[in-house]
Amino acid sequence: MGTVLVTGANRGIGLELCRNLLKAGHQVIAVCRQASADLQALELKIIENIDVGQTDSTAKLSQALEQAGISQLDWLINNAGVLQRTTLDELDFDAVDKQMQINAYGPLRITQACLPLLSSGSKIAIITSRMGSVTDNSSGGHYGYRMSKAAVNIAGASLAVDLNPQGIAVALIHPGYVQTEMTGQQGHIQPQVSAQGIIDRIEALTLDNSGSFWHMNGEKLPW
């Protein structure tokens, strides 16, 4: 068992990741802007007031981890994200930028903050989306979300290359179409099912398959 940090941990997939990881015996550090009652009911370390869309969160998280006495992370799960629907007819560039800041730049900010705590054998998971796949895009729209997820996909691929010499593996994982607040509860699967699939993919992650793009069910996705 190891120490796992999860961002966006106060609800949805992030909350279920925390629950499943605790059941498996991991020490869990839950990172979020504001803890929910459900998160506070769990026996874990909570670090609040971290907005992955803000650059100063990097320093805040580093300080909070140091103050908490955390010296090693086995898994880093970059789960925090946002979806704002942007159409060509009503293209809101503020919404596009917000999604880029959180979905694309956020995982880089958090990874940078946590890098001193990662070592050979550590694993990084970025919860992305198949909506960031260029090959898979047959329906168009969702400009900000698609662009941000495509951007974080290439960031994850670069991280896999850059961190390989340090023995750190990186996975890009699509969680499925999940019934959460983000999707208006319109998904196909429950958050706890998605969370366990994500954990299974991280457990199967090695340096040999580092940098790959996976569905949580084990299907390898096209770029």
Side-chain angles (χ1 to χ4, degrees):
M1 301 302 100
T3 301
V4 184
L5 187 149
V6 181
T7 66
N10 61 321
R11 65 184 184 183
I13 297 170
L15 180 62
E16 295 304 326
L17 281 167
C18 291
R19 285 178 173 149
N20 287 16
L21 289 163
L22 286 171
K23 288 178 183 177
H26 294 282
Q27 177 187 7
V28 180
I29 303 162
V31 175
C32 57
R33 287 181 298 170
Q34 182 176 3
S36 61
D38 287 336
L39 183 62
Q40 290 174 331
L42 302 179
E43 295 184 5
L44 41 65
K45 171 66 180 177
I46 299 174
I47 298 178
E48 293 183 276
N49 301 312
I50 302 298
D51 183 347
V52 305
Q54 300 293 325
T55 299
D56 63 0
S57 282
T58 302
K60 286 182 180 178
L61 181 57
S62 296
Q63 292 168 3
L65 289 169
E66 182 178 358
Q67 291 171 359
I70 305 298
S71 59
Q72 167 70 27
L73 290 177
D74 297 286
W75 292 4
L76 167 60
I77 305 179
N78 286 289
N79 167 73
V82 63
L83 167 63
Q84 293 184 308
R85 289 170 174 79
T86 46
T87 65
L88 188 57
D89 292 336
E90 299 179 1
L91 198 51
D92 182 344
F93 282 95
D94 288 336
V96 171
D97 182 62
K98 180 178 180 179
Q99 290 171 98
M100 292 296 293
Q101 289 292 337
I102 295 172
N103 299 342
Y105 308 153
L108 275 181
R109 291 187 178 102
I110 298 302
T111 299
Q112 182 184 46
C114 295
L115 200 54
L117 306 179
L118 303 173
S119 58
S120 181
S122 294
K123 300 180 181 184
I124 299 171
I126 296 173
I127 309 308
T128 179
S129 172
R130 71 186 309 159
M131 289 182 72
S133 167
V134 176
T135 303
D136 193 58
N137 185 359
S138 60
S139 58
H142 293 90
Y143 287 89
Y145 192 72
R146 288 189 185 278
M147 290 167 66
S148 66
K149 291 302 186 177
V152 83
N153 283 352
I154 195 63
S158 288
L159 283 171
V161 173
D162 292 339
L163 297 178
N164 182 275
Q166 300 177 42
I168 300 170
V170 181
L172 293 144
I173 305 173
H174 168 60
Y177 188 23
V178 188
Q179 295 170 10
T180 64
E181 183 176 321
M182 178 183 286
T183 64
Q185 306 297 332
Q186 297 300 306
H188 298 147
I189 60 173
Q190 294 288 331
Q192 58 267 33
V193 174
S194 175
Q196 189 55 53
I198 290 167
I199 291 169
D200 291 344
R201 299 284 71 74
I202 300 173
E203 288 178 341
L205 176 62
T206 68
L207 290 177
D208 290 335
N209 60 22
S210 181
S212 297
F213 184 17
W214 300 95
H215 192 295
M216 68 87 190
N217 65 13
E219 175 190 356
K220 193 169 183 180
L221 296 175
W223 297 109

